[in-house]
Amino acid sequence: MKFAKALASATILAACTFGSASAAELVVGFSQIGSESGWRAAETTLTKQQAEQRGIDLKFADAQQKQENQIKAIRSFIAQGVNAILVAPVVATGWDEVLQEAKDAEIPVILLDRTVDASDDLYLTAVTSDLVHEGNVAGKWLADTVAGKPCNVVELQGTTGSSPAIDRKKGFEQALSGHDNLKIIRSQTGDFTRTKGKEVMESFLKAEGGGKNICALYAHNDDMAVGAIQAIKEAGLKPGTDILVVSIDAVPDIFQAMAAGEANATVELTPNMAGPAFDALAAYLKDKKAPAKWIQTESKLYTQADDPMKVYEEKKGLGY
Ligand code: GZL
């Protein structure tokens, strides 16, 4: 049965890959977390573009940041008999049962940009960056920048229980170990959003002498950093000089902040996770050869030295 189903999908795929108008389209369900950040919105835009270019009929479901909505969407995709399912899992736990249901229905699942604490035989592959490495790059940049001077750091964490929040924290702390001059004095989730990032930064500033006790902010994404920059300015301080700002994603707006001297560094995360995912799916449906369980995307450090306005212009068109 398995092979027959795969053969059917491969036939559909082969036809639509070669653009035969008569072939039914490959149907793929996409359970997206929501639109909590500029990066997330770009990932959605690019996934839809990639599907369109490949003649894939994409069934899109926005979970509004709720795992139960993602689980409902995956069950609906299974009931529709889609050929494959993409999931960007909002948190790392609680997926075993629904992923097993997809497996029992012989529908391959591909994880996008976040991982899950489940056996890897429950998904075809995961397309993500090395989230620990991203935190590491950010921490190393800060350690090199302060160069041994005492520096109290505040941290805006991503969504509680999500793999980026867990791993970016881990990588950052690894980079700080051995640098006793660097100390994380406050750490709290800003849920990857600008609004929450601003709110939590306001509370950090209030709690730390109006901010004079804070040397640097590490935010798990640029959107929280942009919100925090607003809070730092409203507290009468200069972000980027009074308080160094390092974050992750490399969305256009952080380059505008860098150009204004209000942010210092960001680690790039590509929003095009769907391209590698659809390529892996096509290969799998064609010859049943399972891809590696992890397709890793690049992480690149950008600082104020990298002509931020030029990068801003380049990125503006890429799905953001
Ligand atoms: C990381 C991704 C994160 C982005 C945020 O892989 O899941 O989710 O860094 C987004 O901008 O909210």
Side-chain angles (χ1 to χ4, degrees), residues 36-37 39-40 113-114 131 164 168 192 220-221 249 269:
E36 73 283 359
S37 70
W39 184 90
R40 180 69 53 199
D113 78 81
R114 295 186 185 179
L131 296 154
R168 286 173 177 171
F192 284 129
H220 290 186
N221 82 332
D249 278 354
L269 174 74

Side-chain angles (χ1 to χ4, degrees), residues 9-295:
S9 307
T11 318
I12 293 171
L13 185 76
C16 66
T17 306
F18 297 107
S20 122
S22 60
E25 287 179 320
L26 191 68
V27 182
V28 176
F30 177 24
S31 170
Q32 177 58 298
I33 291 172
S35 52
E36 73 283 359
S37 70
W39 184 90
R40 180 69 53 199
E43 184 188 54
T44 295
T45 302
L46 292 176
T47 302
K48 290 177 177 174
Q49 281 175 2
Q50 288 286 329
E52 175 125 6
Q53 283 164 19
R54 298 158 191 258
I56 289 171
D57 175 6
L58 191 76
K59 305 286 181 198
F60 179 75
D62 178 328
Q64 318 272 322
Q65 254 78 25
K66 292 189 174 65
Q67 181 175 32
E68 64 265 26
N69 291 345
Q70 291 201 278
I71 291 171
K72 268 194 221 125
I74 294 168
R75 287 190 167 130
S76 159
F77 295 146
I78 293 170
Q80 293 172 53
V82 299
N83 302 102
I85 297 171
L86 304 182
V87 188
V90 60
V91 291
T93 53
W95 301 98
D96 297 75
E97 195 182 325
V98 74
L99 292 180
Q100 186 61 53
E101 290 166 22
K103 183 174 181 177
D104 295 345
E106 298 171 0
I107 298 175
V109 173
I110 297 181
L111 304 178
L112 295 191
D113 78 81
R114 295 186 185 179
T115 52
V116 297
D117 296 348
S119 158
D120 68 10
D121 71 342
L122 291 177
Y123 55 87
L124 183 66
T125 186
V127 182
T128 80
S129 58
D130 180 336
L131 296 154
V132 173
H133 175 67
E134 292 171 333
N136 225 276
V137 169
K140 195 175 169 326
W141 172 85
L142 185 59
D144 294 348
T145 302
V146 299
K149 283 198 289 297
C151 182
N152 288 334
V153 185
V154 292
E155 178 183 25
L156 288 170
Q157 296 180 35
T159 301
T160 304
S162 68
S163 62
I166 294 162
D167 289 349
R168 286 173 177 171
K169 180 168 189 46
K170 190 166 135 196
F172 188 76
E173 287 170 352
Q174 277 171 357
L176 266 52
S177 68
H179 296 275
D180 300 342
N181 58 307
L182 281 159
K183 200 160 148 279
I184 300 174
I185 56 171
R186 291 189 182 270
S187 179
Q188 196 179 323
T189 183
D191 212 12
F192 284 129
T193 70
R194 292 189 186 200
T195 311
K196 203 91 176 64
K198 180 171 189 272
E199 252 170 57
V200 175
M201 189 65 202
E202 282 163 353
S203 69
F204 287 164
L205 290 160
K206 273 200 195 84
E208 293 297 341
K212 58 180 180 313
N213 192 25
I214 300 172
C215 147
L217 161 68
Y218 166 50
H220 290 186
N221 82 332
D222 294 341
D223 280 63
M224 292 190 291
V226 169
I229 285 168
Q230 196 50 39
I232 295 168
K233 285 159 77 170
E234 287 171 8
L237 296 172
K238 286 200 204 73
T241 39
D242 296 334
I243 297 179
L244 296 172
V245 178
V246 55
S247 54
I248 301 171
D249 278 354
V251 297
D253 288 356
I254 204 68
F255 290 97
Q256 273 193 318
M258 268 191 215
E262 295 175 350
N264 304 87
T266 184
V267 183
E268 184 176 55
L269 174 74
T270 175
N272 179 18
M273 301 281 180
F278 287 141
D279 288 346
L281 179 63
Y284 174 68
L285 292 177
K286 196 153 151 278
D287 60 17
K288 279 309 273 175
K289 214 157 70 31
K293 282 296 176 183
W294 181 24
I295 298 173

